[in-house]
Amino acid sequence: MKQELVLITGMSGSGKSVALNALEDAGYYCVDNLPPELLLPFVQLEEQQSISKVAIAMDVRSASSLPLVPAQLAHLRLLDVYVRLLFLDATTEILVHRFSETRRRHPLSLDRPAADGIAREREIMTPVRHWAQFLIDTTDCTTNALQEELRRLEGRTSHQRQLLQVT
């Protein structure tokens, strides 16, 4: 059986945890915040364990290593791993609102406003966004709507980038 990898990335507060949980419910073996340096060894280890469906979330906390990911994904494709890269995003206004609702601090804001951290994250994540096959805008999205979209996405393949507006 061909191994399948879904790599979830995107803006903090955009729904990566919701996406990872939805894929776990769909039978994927899931890992949150895996350092990019461990991507290849981890996927190869899971293949040896006969785990065919893996979902991994990576985000800005691994910013210095994210440039490694495109070459790793290309290598995995050469190893016949079916790879899909999802990038979740939302407007800055909505992300700020989500952080204020949860009373959590944006990972890059430190002692500054969340909007400052989000602006810095957008700069860092711009190259990562360009790698994605699926761009998912969660601005007007409920948790249930995102979960449903991911269920529909599971069987979809894409050789061209697709922008998905989830409402």
Side-chain angles (χ1 to χ4, degrees):
M1 175 182 253
K2 187 173 183 174
Q3 191 176 25
E4 180 180 348
L5 169 67
V6 177
L7 184 61
I8 303 165
T9 191
M11 296 297 294
S12 299
S14 64
K16 292 184 304 293
S17 295
V18 171
L20 200 61
N21 291 335
L23 291 172
E24 185 172 34
D25 291 345
Y28 285 76
Y29 182 84
C30 295
V31 177
D32 193 8
N33 201 27
L34 184 76
E37 299 89 348
L38 298 178
L39 179 61
L40 281 174
F42 178 79
V43 172
Q44 291 170 332
L45 176 65
E46 295 310 307
E47 185 177 39
Q48 292 171 6
Q49 302 296 321
S50 299
I51 296 175
S52 62
K53 293 167 58 170
V54 177
I56 297 172
M58 289 183 186
D59 60 32
V60 75
R61 293 173 286 181
S62 299
S64 64
S65 304
L66 284 172
L68 302 171
V69 173
Q72 291 174 326
L73 295 178
H75 184 77
L76 288 169
R77 287 182 177 111
L78 289 174
L79 296 174
D80 205 30
V81 174
Y82 174 56
V83 177
R84 284 182 288 172
L85 178 58
L86 313 179
F87 188 97
L88 279 66
D89 200 355
T91 64
T92 298
E93 179 184 13
I94 290 297
L95 294 174
V96 167
H97 179 72
R98 289 176 184 168
F99 276 101
S100 70
E101 275 185 334
T102 62
R103 298 177 190 229
R104 296 191 68 207
R105 207 169 36 101
H106 184 278
L108 298 181
S109 67
L110 303 173
D111 59 349
R112 308 211 36 149
D116 291 352
I118 291 166
R120 178 71 183 122
E121 184 179 19
R122 284 202 190 282
E123 291 172 22
I124 293 168
M125 297 301 285
T126 294
V128 178
R129 182 183 171 96
H130 292 296
W131 311 331
Q133 294 157 292
F134 297 96
L135 302 171
I136 302 174
D137 184 347
T138 66
T139 298
D140 298 316
C141 179
T142 65
T143 298
N144 289 338
L146 179 55
Q147 291 169 340
E148 182 60 35
E149 183 61 33
L150 289 167
R151 281 190 283 278
R152 284 193 298 268
L153 187 68
E154 187 176 359
R156 232 187 269 174
T157 60
S158 178
H159 299 291
Q160 294 182 326
R161 291 180 58 170
Q162 293 183 21
L163 174 60
L164 305 173
Q165 197 82 19
V166 185
T167 56

